[in-house]
Amino acid sequence: MMKIFRTAIHGQPAGPRRPMLAVIIAGFALSIALPYFGLLNKYVIFVLISVGINVILTISLNLVNGFMGEFSVGHAGFMAVGAYGAAVTSVNVIPRWMGAAAFPTAILAGGLAAALVSLFVAIPSFKTRGDYLAIVTLAFAMIVKSALENMDVLGGPRGFMGMQQFTTLPWVFFWMVLSLWAIRNFVYSAYGRGVLSIREDETASELSGVDTRKVKVLTFALSSFFAGVAGGLYAHLLQFINPSMFDVIKSTEMLIMVYLGGVGSIAGSILGASIYTILMEVLRPMGVWRMVLMPAVLILLMIFRPRGIMGLRELRWFVYKAIPHSGAAAKGQNIGNT
Amino acid sequence: MEILRIKALGHDFGGLRALSGFDLALDEREFVGVIGPNGSGKTTLFNLVSGIYRAATGSISFRGRELVGMSPSSIAHLGITRTFQNIRLFKELTVLDNVRVAKYAAVRYSGLEALLHVGRFRTEERRLTEEAMELLTLFGLDDKAEDPAKNLPYGLQRRLEMARALAASPNVLLLDEPGAGMNPAEIGRLIQLLQWTKEHFPIAIVLIEHHMKMVMELCQRIKVLDFGVTISEGTPMQIRQDPKVIEVYLGKKDYAAVAGRTENTGYGHTADNRPHG
Ligand SMILES: Nc1ncnc2c1ncn2[C@@H]1O[C@H](COP(=O)(O)OP(=O)(O)OP(=O)(O)O)[C@@H](O)[C@H]1O
Ligand SMILES: [Mg+2]
């Protein structure tokens, strides 16, 4: 069991060739086949879809909080922008006869809307450093919620509806893989190293030539894009959204999933979202007491495993190496050794 | 050929004049030392040149371009990099990634290519990883490439910081007490490393050090600061004999004694950063 997990910061020998691709194809096939042959009931499908959406939300927030080490606490705001953006695109922009074919367009519109809005948060917040982002994102989420409540065209507090139920298991699986893949690629690139170095020491990062302002804004926009995508999927799952779905509790749930699964870890994001979502379903009979239990779990986690289950570690399948075995490969002239 | 010209540089912290009227004309491939007692403004000088602080007065021009007001990352791109008095590595990142971070500006792929790992991404990553490994090999860190930087012993952490500073192929390297917390044997090796670095890379070096042996052996020119003011300047021989310099180090029998002054120095000093055990 422990063998397949390695510290993200350690290198590892290259695994079997493209095992991820096989897993993805198998997963996608299952996501089509299982519902098709009636092997899963509606409830289980709903839970699996929720897991998928939550994985997207978790990796998205983890990028900012775990990988970059900033502290965003109002991620539900971006999810809301994405949900409304996608819903409005679906209902009012895309002609109805296009049906599910235009669904990706609606989701992209939601993601882009969230990314665009995130710039208004990111650009001023990242002018200064420190805990400023937490306050700004919190305020932002509240502003989004009350703005939506006061916009009658969007249904105000009663909400917005009319979307068709396009969010199916295969679609969620597709968007989940896309989100994980894109963010993983980003993390294993020069930008991603910039992101990690900002977490480690922002001043040293800047002095090493990393344009930290640009990296932070880009990262935040990317993160918000995927939060928006998740929102769009959510809107087309429930076929009805209202502002109070995207409240502080929603943002807190995302934080719990990130810190449960593990900061700065892709595998951790998947794990955190899955455990949390399924646990919340299992505990559904507890009613409101769930809301007491989960924060308690979070507190215990913070005490005993503050970085989460997979904190700063990565499943080797997700690690990208520019040169396999680069650690041991180079041998040559050394200086300064005794 | 002059590469860096600092004129009448000054800075204060709420009434405290940390540096004033500092001048320096640095030639390409020159090796200049900056010495002075604790709190004399040496690190402040580096913080101004590297753009952490915006100079209150004076100018810093690099190949004719004014640096005052530029962001630290732009200054690093232009070709001035540095190390820190208290080591500032990216602790959780690998040794290799510490160096690769500094190649941020050298990559030739777009954000989209990074996001999709297509186009120039793979060849560029391979290229800069090879370059980084070469640098690590030169600094004897290649076998530690995949270790987290925090696991390196103190001496190697200092060396990695230097490798990181060199990764962006700078023209000017600012070294802030690279020998802090080292014993005489380690200092000896560090002197060799710096001599070799200067021969191997086409760079000018400004060295802040309390270890007089290092400064005297390595530097062509030395500037002496006291309370932010330049009190002396000249060749190692001239500095050694300058009564003003001797007076500053009053109470010390010789310069070697100054080398011992590494503890209890107040603001951000290195001695405390040495890992225990
Ligand atoms: N950020 C800061 N805020 C306030 N005062 C500062 C700051 N940085 C430096 N100083 C003060 O400026 C003066 C010069 O400090 P500086 O760090 O440049 O000295 P130094 O010559 O590098 O000393 P050392 O040998 O101990 O490293 C000191 O009196 C210090 O307390
Ligand atoms: Mg200093």
Side-chain angles (χ1 to χ4, degrees):
Chain A
M1 170 70 182
M2 284 318 288
K3 262 271 160 75
I4 59 166
F5 295 116
R6 304 192 89 272
T7 315
I9 47 192
H10 284 224
Q12 48 269 298
R17 282 188 70 80
R18 325 220 83 185
M20 255 352 255
L21 197 63
V23 171
I24 291 167
I25 292 170
F28 192 64
L30 281 176
S31 76
I32 295 173
L34 291 180
Y36 184 80
F37 293 110
L39 294 171
L40 300 174
N41 66 37
K42 273 213 150 61
Y43 174 68
V44 174
I45 292 173
F46 177 83
V47 173
L48 288 178
I49 287 178
S50 304
V51 169
I53 292 175
N54 282 342
V55 168
I56 300 175
L57 288 170
T58 308
I59 188 67
S60 146
L61 182 60
N62 210 338
L63 181 60
V64 172
N65 287 28
F67 288 96
M68 194 157 70
E70 297 284 332
F71 201 61
S72 169
V73 297
H75 229 52
F78 300 108
M79 187 189 181
V81 172
Y84 275 83
V88 168
T89 307
S90 242
V91 174
N92 298 334
V93 181
I94 296 170
R96 210 164 171 80
W97 57 263
M98 287 189 73
F103 182 44
T105 314
I107 298 297
L108 278 178
L112 289 175
L116 196 70
V117 167
S118 81
L119 297 180
F120 291 100
V121 175
I123 291 171
S125 308
F126 291 138
K127 273 196 173 145
T128 36
R129 295 174 50 188
D131 302 332
Y132 202 58
L133 187 71
I135 297 156
V136 174
T137 49
L138 188 65
F140 166 77
M142 288 171 166
I143 290 168
V144 168
K145 187 164 171 276
S146 54
L148 290 171
E149 277 164 353
N150 288 297
M151 286 166 82
D152 287 334
V153 270
L154 297 177
R158 279 171 295 110
F160 188 86
M161 58 184 101
M163 301 77 87
Q164 289 174 266
Q165 199 177 47
F166 288 144
T167 302
T168 57
L169 197 55
W171 269 124
V172 168
F173 189 80
F174 167 79
W175 284 106
M176 182 187 78
V177 169
L178 187 77
S179 312
L180 291 168
W181 180 70
I183 287 176
R184 174 267 194 187
N185 285 351
F186 185 74
V187 167
Y188 291 98
S189 78
Y191 299 97
R193 286 190 291 271
V195 168
L196 300 176
S197 70
I198 288 169
R199 177 189 71 204
E200 296 296 314
D201 187 331
E202 190 171 337
T203 305
S205 172
E206 177 78 20
L207 288 162
S208 299
V210 177
D211 187 344
T212 57
R213 276 279 299 284
K214 183 179 157 194
V215 168
K216 286 201 274 186
V217 171
L218 262 179
T219 306
F220 201 72
L222 184 66
S223 162
S224 303
F225 174 84
F226 286 111
V229 164
L233 292 169
Y234 195 62
H236 287 83
L237 173 69
L238 303 181
Q239 297 177 270
F240 163 73
I241 45 174
N242 70 26
S244 58
M245 288 173 177
F246 309 100
D247 57 3
V248 181
I249 294 179
K250 192 81 201 168
S251 296
T252 310
E253 279 191 306
M254 294 184 213
L255 287 168
I256 292 176
M257 291 187 286
V258 167
Y259 291 94
L260 174 69
V263 291
S265 169
I266 296 160
S269 302
I270 300 172
L271 207 63
S274 308
I275 294 175
Y276 179 79
T277 314
I278 291 167
L279 207 62
M280 287 302 267
E281 285 305 324
V282 171
L283 299 178
R284 197 170 276 283
M286 284 176 69
V288 283
W289 288 102
R290 287 191 307 172
M291 288 303 163
V292 179
L293 188 83
M294 280 321 289
V297 168
L298 186 66
I299 291 167
L300 287 177
L301 207 78
M302 284 298 181
I303 294 168
F304 294 109
R305 207 170 171 115
R307 284 168 167 180
I309 299 169
M310 290 283 292
L312 299 187
R313 293 186 306 155
E314 197 58 271
L315 194 63
R316 76 154 69 135
W317 289 350
F318 294 135
V319 177
Y320 173 78
K321 301 199 85 186
I323 303 171
H325 303 288
S326 56
K331 269 277 163 282
Q333 179 205 2
N334 278 352
I335 48 108
N337 279 349
T338 22
Chain B
M1 259 291 280
E2 186 179 284
I3 186 164
L4 186 72
R5 172 176 288 258
I6 300 172
K7 277 179 92 172
L9 195 66
H11 198 67
D12 28 31
F13 297 105
L16 174 87
R17 199 104 185 105
L19 191 71
S20 62
F22 186 86
D23 294 309
L24 174 69
L26 186 69
D27 278 344
E28 261 172 82
R29 307 200 71 149
E30 203 182 3
F31 206 137
V32 170
V34 177
I35 63 171
N38 295 129
S40 56
K42 305 182 296 296
T43 299
T44 302
L45 168 68
F46 278 13
N47 287 342
L48 294 175
V49 175
S50 57
I52 294 188
Y53 302 141
R54 194 198 166 102
T57 56
S59 81
I60 307 165
S61 72
F62 177 77
R63 293 194 167 138
R65 286 184 70 169
E66 181 59 46
L67 300 185
V68 175
M70 270 195 196
S71 75
S73 59
S74 317
I75 292 172
H77 292 182
L78 278 182
I80 303 176
T81 58
R82 66 175 287 183
T83 64
F84 300 88
Q85 185 171 352
N86 42 337
I87 303 177
R88 297 182 77 157
L89 289 170
F90 308 121
K91 291 198 187 73
E92 299 284 352
L93 304 192
T94 61
V95 167
L96 175 63
D97 273 345
N98 267 270
V99 171
R100 288 198 296 182
V101 164
K103 292 188 170 289
Y104 173 86
V107 301
R108 291 186 290 255
Y109 53 75
S110 65
L112 199 64
E113 284 167 301
L115 214 51
L116 306 178
H117 277 200
V118 295
R120 291 166 292 184
F121 177 81
R122 278 164 203 277
T123 46
E124 276 292 283
E125 278 294 301
R126 180 178 291 268
R127 176 182 68 83
L128 65 95
T129 304
E130 278 164 1
E131 284 175 14
M133 282 308 297
E134 245 169 67
L135 198 58
L136 288 177
T137 306
L138 291 173
F139 277 81
L141 288 162
D142 51 319
D143 54 335
K144 304 265 197 303
E146 303 289 353
D147 294 353
K150 64 176 179 189
N151 288 3
L152 290 183
Y154 180 79
L156 292 189
Q157 290 198 9
R158 284 243 170 249
R159 224 191 272 177
L160 175 58
E161 239 203 353
M162 234 154 81
R164 180 179 70 183
L166 287 168
S169 315
N171 306 105
V172 176
L173 180 63
L174 310 173
L175 299 172
D176 196 348
E177 299 196 27
M182 287 189 178
N183 63 36
E186 289 168 322
I187 290 294
R189 259 174 281 149
L190 183 61
I191 290 173
Q192 279 182 352
L193 179 67
L194 287 178
Q195 254 153 2
W196 174 87
T197 302
K198 188 175 171 281
E199 279 156 31
H200 197 86
F201 297 93
I203 48 169
I205 297 177
V206 183
L207 171 72
I208 293 177
E209 252 309 329
H210 281 301
H211 290 89
M212 287 306 129
K213 182 173 149 61
M214 276 182 73
V215 184
M216 294 299 166
E217 278 189 34
L218 289 166
C219 300
Q220 293 152 273
R221 260 191 314 146
I222 296 170
K223 305 206 60 138
V224 188
L225 289 178
D226 191 25
F227 291 110
V229 180
T230 310
I231 56 160
S232 182
E233 177 176 7
T235 62
M237 197 55 91
Q238 289 165 332
I239 295 298
R240 217 188 284 270
Q241 289 155 358
D242 189 333
K244 270 187 287 185
V245 179
I246 295 167
E247 195 190 312
V248 165
Y249 290 111
L250 201 68
K252 307 282 168 189
K253 280 275 181 296
D254 55 25
Y255 288 119
V258 179
R261 285 175 52 167
T262 47
E263 68 285 313
N264 192 22
T265 52
Y267 176 70
H269 206 276
T270 334
D272 307 330
N273 281 41
R274 184 158 196 171
H276 302 285

